[in-house]
Amino acid sequence: MDNIGFAFLLTLIAGLSTGIGSFIAFFSKNTNKNFLSCSLGFSAGVMIYVSMIEIFVKAKDSLSLSFGDKMGTGATILGFFGGILVIALIDKFIPKDTNPHEVRDVEELDQISSNSLNTPKAKMKLMRTGIFTALAIAIHNFPEGLATFIAALQDSTIAIPIVVAIAIHNIPEGISVSVPIYYATGSRKKAFLYSFISGLAEPVGALVGYMILMPIMNNTVFGILFASVAGIMVFISIDELLPLAKEYDDGHYSIYGLVFGMLVMAISLFLFM
């Protein structure tokens, strides 16, 4: 029971880091884009390395106990690409009215003519942008929450770096939700609330996953689930984190962050062997 509480707490921390993005947007005049690029690259490095080197292997070990080495490896591969397929379908069917990272910070909107933001049509468009962005992020956060929760139940040494990586990744998402809502309503409270709610999808994903899967959990279910988690995390890293990191990048900071994230994850796994 203690492990379940700890796993849920880690998932909650990861999800609510979207709120940090709101604070950064409102109380920081300038965004250090190279630092943000490096941080996002770091997150991708952590998630890719731990998925391919640790989570995939643990999934294979579990499935091999159920099906033998060859069939277990095949089932792991199917689970991995099945996870990619699931998150790709989620990505395909989220609302396309807005790009989740279209509006990045307050400074960017401050450069827009103030007159263009004062019309009812402009405010309605910004509000719509914020709401759809929050919805898109919530849908993406749901499987992330399940991934974090399952990882934490299995091994906290794997889960904590994942939580850090997802938290860093959620900060700009929080900004992208809160900024258009703020400019549409003039209310920091509403902007923070929408951002906060979008992050709650992660602990909700953990809770739903626990209620559905825990009663039937065994080596086979765990292995398939863990393999799927690895696929989901690799897809998120390649599809979201790295492209966004490159958008902020003035040089090779995103790649430096990627390599450093892999190195940190490798060292942490080595130390806790």
Side-chain angles (χ1 to χ4, degrees), residues 246-265:
K246 290 302 293 181
E247 283 186 31
Y248 286 107
D249 203 345
D250 288 334
H252 298 286
Y253 293 96
S254 58
I255 302 303
Y256 299 152
L258 174 75
V259 174
F260 186 60
M262 289 183 172
L263 177 62
V264 168
M265 193 69 247

Side-chain angles (χ1 to χ4, degrees), residues 1 15 17 27 31 33 66 83 91 97 100 115 125 134-135 148 150 178 189 194 205 210 245 256 264 271:
M1 194 69 184
S17 61
F27 298 107
T31 302
K33 293 187 176 182
S66 299
D91 186 67
D97 297 66
N115 291 333
K125 185 176 180 181
L135 177 61
T148 306
I150 295 299
S178 62
K189 184 178 179 180
Y194 276 86
Y210 172 72
Y256 299 152
V264 168
L271 292 176

